[in-house]
Amino acid sequence: MNNKIKIAVFASGSGSNFQSIVDSGHSAYEVVLLVCDRPQAKAIDRAKKAGIDSFVFQPKQYPNKQVFEREIVQHLKEKQVGFIALAGYMRLIGPTLLTEYEGKIINIHPSLLPAFPGKDAVGQALAKQVKVTGVTVHFIDEGMDTGPIIAQEPIYVHNKDTKETLQQKIHQIEHQLYPEVIQDLCLTIGKETIKK
Ligand code: GRF
């Protein structure tokens, strides 16, 4: 019996986190769909190579967020997706998706939230000359990086760190942490499903 939770990963760019979620070898979930809002994103090639279907769309071709999110929901339902991991998806999630997947959407952010929400968190941390930054996994709500925190890991910033070196250290942590958190949450969802 296949009782893995089917998950979708949303990405807009390189998709290195998408890759680590796919490659992790964790057994409680299976990535069945990549949702991507940028047709040139490298994440799409990664999905192809991994044999995972993608739904790629261009937000500008829709009258508003509600309309494209309804289409996303259709694709998610077709694939029986029970859980969503945002991984470098550069958009706020709207009420259509939030209502449909309440408590089942998480995000990874490259700072110790609530410090440095929004874009370029690594650049923001360097500009403030913080000595410690890190990675946060959190639930999604209607705000910008504001939902309840699930896991965090700190990273020391050294004087010689550049945006590239710090980004590299952050990715290293992310690629380990994010699949672990997804695994744990999917195990919990699995148990709840059995109880019902
Ligand atoms: C990651 O650093 C993640 O924390 C942030 O966007 C970046 C995405 O990187 N939300 P990638 O596309 O997974 O390589």
Side-chain angles (χ1 to χ4, degrees), residues 26-175:
H26 288 313
S27 56
Y29 67 82
E30 178 189 356
V31 181
V32 295
L33 187 69
L34 169 75
V35 173
C36 181
D37 61 343
R38 289 190 190 159
Q40 279 82 32
K42 190 171 163 200
I44 301 167
D45 296 332
R46 293 182 190 270
K48 261 187 215 145
K49 283 197 184 116
I52 293 167
D53 286 339
S54 298
F55 171 55
V56 183
F57 68 103
Q58 281 185 293
K60 276 188 199 150
Q61 294 179 346
Y62 295 80
N64 55 48
K65 183 177 294 215
Q66 191 186 33
V67 181
F68 70 70
E69 284 201 344
R70 275 202 203 128
E71 205 167 309
I72 294 175
V73 169
Q74 265 179 16
H75 285 273
L76 297 171
K77 296 286 166 190
E78 261 165 38
K79 294 269 182 199
Q80 298 176 307
V81 167
F83 188 81
I84 297 169
L86 309 183
Y89 182 65
M90 302 301 283
R91 298 183 173 273
L92 281 179
I93 298 295
T96 307
L97 267 165
L98 275 177
T99 313
E100 202 64 50
Y101 282 90
E102 203 190 335
K104 301 228 166 63
I105 312 180
I106 64 170
N107 181 42
I108 189 152
H109 184 79
S111 77
L112 292 176
L113 289 171
F116 312 129
K119 281 188 188 157
D120 192 21
V122 178
Q124 291 185 57
L126 284 173
K128 284 282 177 204
Q129 303 187 1
V130 295
K131 305 304 169 212
V132 182
T133 184
V135 171
T136 303
V137 181
H138 64 96
F139 284 108
I140 283 293
D141 61 13
E142 59 290 336
M144 170 82 84
D145 304 321
T146 49
I149 290 171
I150 305 163
Q152 289 187 306
E153 272 199 35
I155 294 165
Y156 283 105
V157 185
H158 298 298
N159 288 342
K160 284 188 187 154
D161 266 324
T162 61
K163 207 159 156 183
E164 286 67 38
T165 60
L166 190 52
Q167 184 69 67
Q168 231 170 26
K169 286 195 251 178
I170 283 176
H171 266 136
Q172 249 172 31
I173 302 280
E174 288 185 336
H175 296 163

